[in-house]
Amino acid sequence: MAPPHVVDDQVRHRIVVEDETATKQQYERNYVPMEFTIKEIRDAIPAHLFVRDTTKSIMHVVKDLVTIAAVFYCATFIDTLPSLALRIPAWIAYWIIQGTVMVGPWILAHECGHAAFSDSKTVNTIFGWVLHSALLVPYQAWQMSHSKHHKGTGSMTKDVVFLPATRSYKGLPAPAEQQKQDELNNTQEHHHDHHESIFAETPIYTLGSLIFVLTFGWPLYLFINFSGPVHAHWINHFQTIAPLYEPHQAKNIFYSNCGIVAMTSILTYLSILFSPLTVFMYYGIPYLGVNAWIVCITYLQHTDPQVPHFRDNVWNFQRGAACTVDRSFGTIVNHLHHHIGDSHQCHHMFSQMPFYNAVEATKHLKAKLGKYYIFDDTPIAKALYRNWRECRFVEDEGEVVFYKH
């Protein structure tokens, strides 16, 4: 028999969980899709915030590249430190800092893809292609697939990334049958197969799967459309394959591939010149850090217990765009990442708005949308863990569906 204090803790935990579940169920029952038109939302934001300034955008690129160069320069002194006890933490600090800073140019290239960087298509293409290629991102290919995501955000059929799995796809029983099984499990001894499945609920499994996705999620998305629709798995960003791409887009895919080949060639040359280990230490590990940041940011923007998804008969663009989550990553990271985390709902509404105006525009957007503006102040690590555990599937039926555990 468990000690009294353990039993009390278990009871308190169960009460908290039951209260949270009841609150979530009430929120879902009372949810009514937004009725604002996109014009009404746009009219609530001052017109000057939509004006792009190419010089200002380029200065952000310069600032990011100077910061990366400064961090790199400091790292060249690490191996001159007198002891391994100093060198190891110094390298770890470099990887964390450089991986965080290098997200900045990634975001700026993303802005180029939305034509939010400049009024000039040529300027957008040049800067976007160079910056993304330097980070091994196929610029034009991802630009096109990302455009499909923006056009279908929140739709159970139109979106092409972060699309929730359904109950039936997960192989789960119908809700009534699931309730019977849960009641049986609570009153009878668990079967062996239940003990096996319960491993997926353990913290160690959750942390392990999170680490895997943060490390490999981005390249898996590029190569096999990981996190895309089930019917579009194994489609990559390097070939002109439907439904992500059409035959007439082959030229753009070719340009993207040229960028990847060029950057790969540069890295190969540097590896020969300095050694593969040197390139891995200075570029490879920070590159993995960039990938982890991108997966973390985008996952938390689109996956949350309070975010609904819509069937075709109730979905529209602005409803889907509003179903993204703003969250702060801290003052320094928000600045380094050009506020892509704390102004994302505005970005989805108006992706051609210059990124440096999005924070101010978000204030007007929040005032207009009211309860439909979503901001989550849960600490990032806690939000990642919670969402990974709780946002597992949605129901097969219903016009508006929410993630369930």
Side-chain angles (χ1 to χ4, degrees):
M1 179 180 295
H5 72 276
V6 174
V7 175
D8 290 342
D9 288 344
Q10 292 173 343
V11 171
R12 281 193 292 268
H13 175 71
R14 186 177 71 249
I15 292 173
V16 169
V17 171
E18 289 175 350
D19 288 345
E20 290 176 349
T21 301
T23 302
K24 184 176 186 297
Q25 291 173 344
Q26 183 179 14
Y27 168 74
E28 293 175 7
R29 283 196 303 269
N30 296 337
Y31 185 85
V32 178
M34 183 178 70
E35 295 295 339
F36 295 121
T37 66
I38 193 66
K39 183 180 186 306
E40 290 173 334
I41 298 171
R42 185 183 177 97
D43 288 346
I45 299 176
H48 73 274
L49 296 179
F50 292 91
V51 178
R52 293 176 287 273
D53 183 336
T54 301
T55 301
K56 190 171 185 177
S57 295
I58 292 175
M59 291 308 298
H60 278 275
V61 175
V62 173
K63 181 204 71 175
D64 282 359
L65 296 183
V66 168
T67 304
I68 290 171
V71 175
F72 174 87
Y73 177 73
C74 291
T76 61
F77 293 95
I78 293 177
D79 285 337
T80 65
L81 294 174
S83 69
L84 196 62
L86 293 176
R87 292 195 294 273
I88 290 177
W91 274 116
I92 293 173
Y94 166 74
W95 295 330
I96 294 173
I97 295 171
Q98 191 72 299
T100 302
V101 172
M102 284 167 59
V103 174
W106 201 109
I107 300 300
L108 294 179
H110 156 266
E111 297 299 314
C112 292
H114 283 294
F117 188 87
S118 171
D119 289 331
S120 168
K121 183 178 179 180
T122 301
V123 171
N124 286 324
T125 300
I126 292 174
F127 276 88
W129 185 84
V130 171
L131 293 176
H132 258 174
S133 296
L135 294 167
L136 298 176
V137 179
Y139 172 68
Q140 284 93 340
W142 186 75
Q143 176 191 31
M144 293 184 292
S145 67
H146 188 61
S147 175
K148 288 179 179 286
H149 159 62
H150 268 258
K151 292 174 181 176
T153 302
S155 167
M156 285 298 296
T157 59
K158 295 178 174 63
D159 205 350
V160 295
V161 67
F162 293 118
L163 197 63
T166 59
R167 177 185 285 273
S168 60
Y169 176 76
K170 285 285 188 180
L172 298 171
E177 182 63 26
Q178 181 72 59
Q179 185 175 0
K180 291 180 182 178
Q181 289 186 12
D182 290 342
E183 292 173 354
L184 186 64
N185 287 331
N186 287 332
T187 57
Q188 297 183 3
E189 184 177 352
H190 297 281
H191 295 292
H192 178 67
D193 60 344
H194 181 72
H195 281 297
E196 290 179 346
S197 65
I198 207 69
F199 176 67
E201 300 297 324
T202 61
I204 188 66
Y205 179 89
T206 301
L207 289 173
S209 57
L210 263 177
I211 291 171
F212 175 84
V213 169
L214 290 173
T215 306
F216 301 107
W218 173 249
L220 285 175
Y221 171 65
L222 292 180
F223 280 99
I224 63 171
N225 203 28
F226 182 74
S227 82
V230 175
H231 68 276
H233 280 178
W234 302 104
I235 293 175
N236 64 61
H237 283 70
F238 307 98
Q239 294 177 281
T240 311
I241 303 176
L244 280 186
Y245 307 112
E246 304 298 330
H248 70 273
Q249 296 174 321
K251 181 173 66 174
N252 289 329
I253 301 293
F254 173 75
Y255 293 151
S256 293
N257 292 344
C258 286
I260 300 300
V261 170
M263 187 58 191
T264 303
S265 300
I266 292 172
L267 292 174
T268 301
Y269 173 74
L270 292 175
S271 297
I272 295 172
L273 192 63
F274 297 105
S275 85
L277 179 61
T278 300
V279 172
F280 183 70
M281 297 282 278
Y282 282 98
Y283 176 88
I285 297 180
Y287 164 76
L288 294 176
V290 173
N291 293 349
W293 269 116
I294 296 303
V295 172
C296 173
I297 292 167
T298 54
Y299 175 77
L300 290 177
Q301 286 168 342
H302 298 284
T303 310
D304 194 272
Q306 62 183 320
V307 170
H309 283 76
F310 304 99
R311 308 291 182 192
D312 285 349
N313 58 321
V314 294
W315 177 88
N316 61 36
F317 173 81
Q318 60 272 22
R319 285 177 178 174
C323 292
T324 54
V325 183
D326 281 0
R327 63 180 78 242
S328 174
F329 288 77
T331 302
I332 294 175
V333 174
N334 286 344
H335 174 75
L336 291 173
H337 294 178
H338 305 288
H339 294 277
I340 194 65
D342 59 335
S343 63
H344 193 67
Q345 196 174 97
C346 181
H347 168 68
H348 259 270
M349 287 288 182
F350 311 107
S351 59
Q352 292 187 330
M353 174 186 288
F355 54 93
Y356 40 79
N357 289 339
V359 172
E360 183 180 348
T362 294
K363 298 175 184 177
H364 300 279
L365 183 69
K366 180 180 179 180
K368 178 64 178 178
L369 297 186
K371 66 180 182 180
Y372 294 104
Y373 173 75
I374 304 176
F375 182 89
D376 183 20
D377 60 359
T378 305
I380 300 304
K382 183 178 179 180
L384 263 177
Y385 185 84
R386 176 200 65 194
N387 293 3
W388 193 255
R389 288 178 63 85
E390 296 184 10
C391 301
R392 307 300 289 273
F393 70 94
V394 298
E395 298 292 357
D396 293 276
E397 299 177 353
E399 295 180 336
V400 182
V401 292
F402 291 83
Y403 276 108
K404 293 184 180 297
H405 178 237

